[in-house]
Amino acid sequence: AAAAAAAAGTNATAPTAPAGVTTNSASSSGPTGITQGDRFGLTGLLSVIRMTDQDLNALALGFDLTTLGLNLNSPDYLYTTFASPWSEGPTTVQPEFRIPQCYFMTPPHLRFQMFQRFHLETLFYIFYSMPADVLQLAAAQELYNRDWRFHKEKKLWFTRAPGVEPTIKTATYEKGAYLVFDPEKWTKERKDDFILVYDQLEEKTSVQTGDQGGQQGGQGASGQALRPDAPSAPQPTAGQMPQHMR
């Protein structure tokens, strides 16, 4: 019986794995004799250390920079001569560009006469968007010339409603219908029966151009820019408001 069993075991074939299933055998090993399961472990580092695979070596260890034409002993910066590994020629420190001709034009000096051609909304935009600037003073002066008055407490511009006279007029205040420019809504609104106190109105600020005072300011030909002028004449008092506010 034992001899029959031994003969049967000799003639039996080895079991095979199901289709689609790989086994960890020598037939599945890589070209270096490392199995597929060990290629990504510590054993797989041997192929990197031995530097047998050029592609794997470039991926893991990189390139020798001296083979790319770099002088690592140079005291200068490498970026001044080396653009990239894929560039045929050396790099330039300053990039190549062309400045448009319009950038070389000198802008004209802004004169006060230009403000007389601006729309009303443009003057309001200059006044509210350029605080503490001479252009704000120039816009305020032009608004003043167009019969607008700045309220110091409400921080708004007022003017009389067209064709409407005040119902009450004294030496210190007047009452009537006015147009108010609201910078938040950016529109003009009408206020009826509004009491306008003269002391609450800002006085006119004088703005002088270089054509008028360039010799005194020492600006010469470039004195065409706007600049504030020191008041040389007494400002009107509350009882001496301009005609449209009297």
Side-chain angles (χ1 to χ4, degrees):
T10 305
N11 297 330
T13 58
T16 58
V21 178
T22 59
T23 60
N24 188 11
S25 61
S27 60
S28 61
S29 61
T32 58
I34 302 176
T35 61
Q36 294 289 345
D38 294 335
R39 289 182 60 188
F40 305 101
L42 294 178
T43 307
L45 292 177
L46 293 176
S47 60
V48 179
I49 297 175
R50 293 170 183 171
M51 303 176 62
T52 56
D53 190 347
Q54 183 178 1
D55 296 335
L56 182 61
N57 181 42
L59 178 63
L61 304 180
F63 290 91
D64 185 3
L65 298 181
T66 57
T67 60
L68 300 178
L70 293 179
N71 185 9
L72 301 181
N73 297 325
S74 175
D76 300 331
Y77 293 105
L78 297 178
Y79 72 88
T80 58
T81 56
F82 181 73
S84 70
W86 302 275
S87 178
E88 296 294 339
T91 184
T92 56
V93 178
Q94 294 294 337
E96 296 181 2
F97 60 89
R98 185 181 64 85
I99 301 178
Q101 190 64 28
C102 60
Y103 282 86
F104 295 97
M105 298 178 60
T106 303
H109 295 286
L110 189 60
R111 301 189 180 188
F112 179 71
Q113 288 76 10
M114 298 181 181
F115 284 78
Q116 301 176 4
R117 301 193 296 267
F118 289 163
H119 293 286
L120 188 63
E121 289 77 7
T122 304
L123 296 176
F124 284 127
Y125 172 78
I126 296 175
F127 178 82
Y128 285 107
S129 63
M130 301 179 182
D133 194 279
V134 66
L135 298 179
Q136 184 188 42
L137 300 179
Q141 178 174 339
E142 180 59 25
L143 289 171
Y144 195 95
N145 295 338
R146 300 187 188 186
D147 295 335
W148 285 84
R149 299 295 181 267
F150 186 73
H151 202 285
K152 293 184 291 186
E153 295 184 0
K154 297 185 178 296
K155 307 299 181 182
L156 298 173
W157 284 91
F158 284 76
T159 187
R160 282 182 182 172
V164 180
E165 292 294 330
T167 57
I168 300 177
K169 185 188 301 183
T170 65
T172 57
Y173 72 93
E174 66 182 43
K175 181 180 180 181
Y178 302 91
L179 295 180
V180 184
F181 184 81
D182 190 348
E184 295 183 357
K185 300 180 181 179
W186 206 255
T187 184
K188 291 181 289 185
E189 297 180 350
R190 176 165 174 160
K191 289 183 177 294
D192 295 322
D193 298 330
F194 182 81
I195 299 177
L196 190 64
V197 181
Y198 295 146
D199 288 338
Q200 297 176 351
L201 299 178
E202 186 69 46
E203 297 177 352
K204 182 179 181 180
T205 302
S206 177
V207 179
Q208 186 179 18
T209 62
D211 296 338
Q212 298 173 351
Q215 299 295 334
Q216 297 178 0
Q219 298 183 8
S222 62
Q224 298 174 352
L226 299 173
R227 62 185 181 88
D229 184 24
S232 58
Q235 299 293 334
T237 60
Q240 299 175 345
M241 298 303 295
Q243 182 177 2
H244 114 282
M245 283 295 183
R246 287 187 291 170

